[in-house]
Amino acid sequence: LYDDTLRDGEQTIGVAFSLEQKLEIAQKLIDAGIWHMTLGFPAVSESERKIVTELAKLDRSEGFYAIARCIPSDFETVLECGVKKVGTWIPISDSHLQHKLRVTEDQAFDMMIEGIRIATSMKVPVRFALEDATRAPYERIARFARGAIDAGAEAITIADTCGVLTPNTAFGLFKDLRALLGPDAGLVAHFHNDLGMATANSLMAYLGGASMIQGSFAGLGERTGNVALEELATALMVKFDADIGVDLVKLKDLAYLVAEYAGMVIAPSKPVLGKNIFCHESGVHVQGIMRNPATYEPYPPALIGSEHQIHFGKHSGISGIQHVAAAEGLAASDADMRTILNKVKLLGEDGHSSTREEIAKMLAEVQA
């Protein structure tokens, strides 16, 4: 896994992390088992240079990158900050070539080769990203990817800049590129979530042959954000038993911290982070998890440091009331418990979700 929270994540509208926050995030990334990360874009400003310089001091595995344009001064700035690797890019879709850069495909290819030549002449490892690659024809993607690796890039990044891939096309693209580039070439996936498929697409890129997947926490990033690393890591471990070397509990806690620093409100139903993901109210569901949590939970809550909770409302059944009574050691008649259940259902129809503590109090009152 490759973190881009400190760079692309910070490009979320209204987000600007302080030096102290970035240092804390970077250290917690390392503690959670993620050593590869982009620190920022030092050519942006003097303050960004200072931040990247401080972050670079944490590097113990040469897994840190800073991004640069394909010009010598940008590469020099990266090296001056103490970062040992550089990430650079060029767009290759028709819309970007024609309307943003206003160059031909051949001119863009030559620009890419020149950028890699500059980096290699400076003896700095370079990861080259193909911006908006997924809206370019495959032949062009293959040409640029093969050309970058042959020119000396240590890895090529395929960017789904506008989030237009589907799982099938993500798998096919990375399978074909892996066959083209060979087993040892670095092949990185950088996916956005515009159509809500970034996690699924990243999983399929992994199956297709991606050696690294780049994302951010809590869905930060341009527009709808990058693939959420906490979701991706959980899915890789739960569905594929992938040995990715990360601590999911620390990863989830870090995602909460990033969301807090970014001022982002986490939706209650958001995978991995949402407060409702292990909450149960429906009588049928509660009865099921009381007998075996796996009936309505796709993975053990403890895997990410959570626990399941029972809530009470319009859809509750008697089994939930019985569970609280037994757990609290309260003896209540069936009639009393059904009276409490009816009260809970009426409160639920008014939008009130009763807590376990409230149910226990009701049971204690009828017992008294």
Side-chain angles (χ1 to χ4, degrees), residues 38-344:
T38 301
L39 306 182
F41 190 176
V44 165
S45 66
E46 181 60 32
S47 63
E48 182 78 348
R49 281 192 286 277
K50 291 179 180 177
I51 289 174
V52 171
T53 300
E54 291 302 311
L55 288 169
K57 296 175 183 177
L58 299 176
D59 195 7
R60 297 293 181 271
S61 66
E62 297 191 359
F64 289 5
Y65 290 78
I67 64 168
R69 293 164 296 182
C70 288
I71 55 177
S73 59
D74 272 22
F75 292 162
E76 289 167 2
T77 299
V78 169
L79 295 176
E80 289 167 1
C81 290
V83 183
K84 297 181 175 64
K85 296 185 177 183
V86 65
T88 189
W89 77 99
I90 200 164
I92 64 169
S93 66
D94 286 342
S95 59
H96 279 247
L97 292 177
Q98 295 170 14
H99 302 296
K100 187 172 78 171
L101 293 188
R102 296 182 179 178
V103 298
T104 66
E105 177 184 330
D106 287 343
Q107 288 172 323
F109 186 86
D110 291 343
M111 291 165 64
M112 177 186 76
I113 299 301
E114 176 62 13
I116 296 171
R117 187 198 64 77
I118 294 169
T120 55
S121 70
M122 298 170 68
K123 294 182 170 52
V124 54
V126 60
R127 174 180 49 79
F128 205 96
L130 304 180
E131 184 184 5
D132 206 23
T134 55
R135 293 197 294 178
Y138 175 74
E139 293 75 15
R140 188 182 302 162
I141 301 172
R143 178 193 180 194
F144 276 73
R146 181 75 268 173
I149 295 298
D150 288 346
E154 70 165 16
I156 189 75
T157 299
I158 303 300
D160 187 24
T161 302
C162 290
V164 298
L165 281 180
T166 64
N168 282 343
T169 54
F171 175 78
L173 175 59
F174 276 77
K175 182 180 179 181
D176 290 346
L177 288 173
R178 175 53 69 201
L180 172 73
L181 300 176
D184 300 323
L187 181 57
V188 185
H190 177 100
F191 292 166
H192 284 259
N193 199 38
D194 295 74
L195 296 178
M197 290 186 278
T199 298
N201 290 340
S202 296
L203 291 172
M204 296 308 288
Y206 160 75
L207 293 177
S211 52
M212 191 173 289
I213 300 173
Q214 190 175 47
S216 62
F217 284 97
L220 287 180
E222 295 277 358
R223 303 179 315 279
T224 58
N226 297 69
V227 61
L229 286 178
E230 73 279 357
E231 291 182 22
L232 178 62
T234 303
L236 283 168
M237 293 179 70
V238 169
K239 296 301 296 180
F240 301 102
D241 197 26
D243 182 12
I244 54 176
V246 301
D247 184 321
L248 288 183
V249 176
K250 290 181 178 179
L251 217 60
K252 184 197 71 172
D253 291 343
L254 176 54
Y256 283 140
L257 181 70
V258 169
E260 177 187 343
Y261 287 161
M264 174 176 283
V265 177
I266 297 173
S269 58
K270 183 170 176 56
V272 182
L273 302 183
K275 67 178 183 180
N276 289 349
I277 62 172
F278 293 113
C279 293
H280 308 274
E281 177 187 309
S282 167
V284 173
H285 286 222
V286 170
Q287 185 181 57
I289 67 161
M290 288 300 100
R291 294 175 179 174
N292 185 340
T295 53
Y296 288 103
E297 292 174 348
Y299 56 90
L303 185 67
I304 60 170
S306 297
E307 58 184 22
H308 59 240
Q309 302 174 34
I310 297 174
H311 287 244
F312 301 87
K314 175 182 176 180
H315 304 97
S316 293
I318 195 65
S319 60
I321 308 297
Q322 292 170 337
H323 168 73
V324 175
E328 298 290 333
L330 297 169
S333 67
D334 286 348
D336 285 339
M337 285 193 283
R338 292 201 174 275
T339 297
I340 291 171
L341 177 61
N342 290 334
K343 181 179 180 180
V344 166

